[in-house]
Amino acid sequence: MLMDWFTELNPSIQALFGGLLTWGLTALGASIVFFFRRINQSVMNMMLGFAAGVMIAASFWSLLAPAIEFSEQNGQISWLPPAIGFLLGGFFIRLLDFVVPHLDSNIVEEAEGPKTGLSKTTLLFLAITLHNIPEGLAIGVAFGAAGIGLGDASIVGALGLAIGIGLQNMPEGAALSVPLRGEGLSRLKAFNYGQLSAIVEPIAAVVGAAAVLAIQPIMPYALAFAAGAMIFVVVEQLIPQSQASGSKDLATLGLMAGFTVMMILDVALG
């Protein structure tokens, strides 16, 4: 069976497939540009809220909870490695935001990071690409945790995480490609920007899995690092962007729906 074949693969290869899945779902979301020039802003806000909910739930159930469990199993202070890793993850994304020019939202006019002459299109692309890195790392460390037999960690659970992140990538792909189409780019160019923003995910997934397999003691730090990075992205970008143009109730309901879907996926599959 396909699942039996998949479980026999090296965890780094499993992580690569998981990252490719999220990339493919990003491309699926970006492909909406071939059918619509614009998306109703209320719908977009709800989709971004959904993405935020998925990432919040994944950060706890798939990353922080296993990090705490691993610390306990290894005789460490249960909360210390997760706390350190979580804060480092947030600082890492803040550092990237500081050194790489980017534009967090199509409705924001002023770029963050160093001064640059890059186009608005490129700055939007860089923002979403940067914020896809922790998602790839999360997938990688989840498969790495399953590979070393960490507690309740399982390949099925790691796949559930990849599916959940892929689902939240769909609105992100659309959130990049559709505004770019509205600014005059061709459908194909807008689509390519949208789907290429997630190319870092399979790369980061392999890096994350390989790192924890090579240096198992970093596992709780790596899991929490990915969680901290994802929460930083949610609070700094997704939630403000989902509520910046009205429809706050819809955005909040979308967040709750995303949280619920990811919770069900993680608990049922994990």
Side-chain angles (χ1 to χ4, degrees), residues 70 73 143-153:
F70 188 90
Q73 289 178 355
F143 278 106
I148 66 173
L150 168 61
D152 294 330

Side-chain angles (χ1 to χ4, degrees), residues 57-58 60-62 65 152 154 156-158 160-161 259-270:
F60 177 73
W61 271 282
S62 297
D152 294 330
S154 68
V156 175
L161 174 63
F259 186 97
T260 303
V261 167
M262 189 63 228
M263 177 181 67
I264 291 171
L265 277 174
D266 196 275
V267 174
L269 298 180

Side-chain angles (χ1 to χ4, degrees), residues 147-238:
I148 66 173
L150 168 61
D152 294 330
S154 68
I155 292 173
V156 175
L159 274 174
L161 174 63
I163 292 169
I165 289 177
L167 289 174
Q168 70 88 27
N169 274 5
M170 292 174 67
E172 285 193 347
L176 179 57
S177 65
V178 172
L180 295 182
R181 173 60 179 158
E183 291 189 358
L185 269 68
S186 69
R187 286 185 172 88
L188 183 59
K189 277 191 173 182
F191 167 75
N192 281 333
Y193 271 110
Q195 61 91 14
L196 283 174
S197 67
I199 190 62
V200 295
E201 292 203 8
I203 299 170
V206 173
V207 171
V212 297
L213 289 171
I215 317 172
Q216 293 188 19
I218 72 168
M219 175 65 76
Y221 298 95
L223 288 164
F225 180 94
M230 291 212 298
I231 291 296
F232 188 98
V233 171
V234 168
V235 177
E236 190 247 2
Q237 182 184 10
L238 289 181

Side-chain angles (χ1 to χ4, degrees), residues 4 26 31 36-37 56 64 100 105 128 138 143 147 159 210-211 213 226 241:
D4 292 333
T26 304
S31 69
F36 302 98
R37 189 181 182 91
I56 293 171
L64 284 174
V100 179
S105 168
I128 294 183
F143 278 106
L159 274 174
L213 289 171
Q241 188 175 344

Side-chain angles (χ1 to χ4, degrees), residues 90 120 224:
K120 187 175 182 180

Side-chain angles (χ1 to χ4, degrees), residues 68-160:
I68 294 169
E69 181 183 8
F70 188 90
S71 298
E72 290 175 343
Q73 289 178 355
N74 285 271
Q76 299 169 295
I77 300 174
S78 61
W79 53 265
L80 185 58
I84 293 172
F86 185 82
L87 292 174
L88 287 176
F91 286 133
F92 172 72
I93 297 299
R94 179 64 189 94
L95 178 63
L96 289 182
D97 281 350
F98 182 74
V99 300
V100 179
H102 62 285
L103 193 65
D104 278 334
S105 168
N106 189 60
I107 61 176
V108 175
E109 294 298 328
E110 186 174 349
E112 297 184 34
K115 297 294 183 182
T116 178
L118 294 174
S119 67
K120 187 175 182 180
T121 298
T122 303
L123 292 170
L124 279 169
F125 172 79
L126 286 173
I128 294 183
T129 300
L130 287 176
H131 294 162
N132 278 331
I133 293 174
E135 297 168 14
L137 289 174
I139 293 167
V141 296
F143 278 106
I148 66 173
L150 168 61
D152 294 330
S154 68
I155 292 173
V156 175
L159 274 174

